[in-house]
Amino acid sequence: MTTGLFITFEGIDGAGKSSHIDALARAFAQAGRTALVTREPGGTPLAEKLRELLLHDAMDALTETLLVFAARRDHLAQVIVPALARGEVVLCDRFTDATFAYQGGGRGFDWQVLSQMEQLAQTGLGLEPDLMLNPQLTLWFDLPPELAARRLAAARAPDRFEAQPLEFFTRVAQGYARRAAEAGPRFARIDADRAREHVAAQMLAEVAERGWLPAQGAAA
């Protein structure tokens, strides 16, 4: 049976990561793999309801963090783990690294408490219930906060996170950098301050390097 793959896309708002998920899904489809595209917060009816609360309702950092992990647990149990068990490729727009970046870095929430919540929410699932489930690869679309802010200003009406000041996104970017340093080879940094085709090529090359796509796909 084909082993499932769990790949996450991370980066501050405006980094452009979401626009590349479908391209990677197509690349896997061309290689004969079934790819499931999903997102966090969200991915299930319950988690999507929690997403609306998180994006639009005022709350403190602890409430925000608890809702994020509640949505994640349901997402894992209902969607991600079953897809991995079927041997599919799961491509998720944000996962726990975003919680460390936004709630830990941006909001200043305690890093150790986040680690405890991570362990609780991501353990007891799937074929290896004693192990904490993590992505095999995290594609980190790294972009200077100042440039991300300019991109957001020209886009849609901002939600509660997108409307935060530049200082918030600077802390979020620092949170991502800290998380990348702690995660080691699971993180692959993508230079998002480049033309779209170059960003896509970086992404495909990182996946091909791990043997999950044909090498020629990385050069497309």
Side-chain angles (χ1 to χ4, degrees):
M1 181 177 177
T2 303
T3 303
L5 291 176
F6 186 19
I7 301 173
T8 54
F9 287 61
E10 295 286 357
I12 60 175
D13 292 284
K17 59 184 172 48
S18 302
S19 63
H20 292 283
I21 292 182
D22 289 339
L24 186 55
R26 288 193 297 272
F28 273 111
Q30 291 168 2
R33 297 294 301 269
T34 299
L36 170 70
V37 177
T38 188
R39 68 177 182 177
E40 288 212 350
T44 70
L46 173 60
E48 290 291 336
K49 292 177 184 177
L50 296 177
R51 178 187 179 89
E52 286 302 306
L53 295 175
L54 285 161
L55 294 186
H56 303 294
D57 289 23
M59 61 189 74
D60 68 9
L62 175 56
T63 303
E64 190 175 275
T65 304
L66 290 169
L67 287 180
V68 166
F69 276 110
R72 178 163 301 128
R73 177 71 181 193
D74 191 60
H75 191 202
L76 282 166
Q78 302 298 326
V79 174
I80 295 175
V81 170
L84 294 174
R86 293 191 298 267
E88 296 177 10
V89 179
V90 176
L91 305 178
C92 190
D93 186 349
R94 292 212 170 104
F95 193 62
T96 307
D97 299 307
T99 308
F100 280 84
Y102 278 80
Q103 280 71 48
R107 303 292 192 206
F109 196 81
D110 186 89
W111 206 265
Q112 184 58 40
V113 174
L114 288 177
S115 296
Q116 294 169 353
M117 291 183 177
E118 176 187 32
Q119 185 75 35
L120 181 63
Q122 295 168 218
T123 304
L125 297 157
L127 299 177
E128 298 178 286
D130 295 332
L131 298 179
M132 184 174 70
L133 192 150
N134 265 318
Q136 283 107 316
L137 172 64
T138 296
L139 297 164
W140 172 32
F141 290 73
D142 189 21
L143 186 73
E146 298 83 0
L147 180 54
R150 290 200 296 271
R151 289 184 182 180
L152 285 175
R156 61 189 181 278
D159 60 38
R160 194 167 65 88
F161 289 94
E162 293 169 340
Q164 294 295 314
L166 178 60
E167 292 77 13
F168 175 83
F169 288 106
T170 299
R171 295 193 300 271
V172 170
Q174 292 167 348
Y176 271 124
R178 175 179 173 181
R179 185 70 167 167
E182 294 175 352
R186 173 172 68 82
F187 256 74
R189 180 184 176 275
I190 305 296
D191 182 3
D193 188 12
R194 300 190 68 186
R196 180 184 175 86
E197 60 271 20
H198 291 296
V199 174
Q202 289 179 72
M203 173 188 70
L204 291 170
E206 290 289 348
V207 178
E209 185 178 294
R210 289 159 175 80
W212 298 335
L213 284 176
Q216 62 268 24

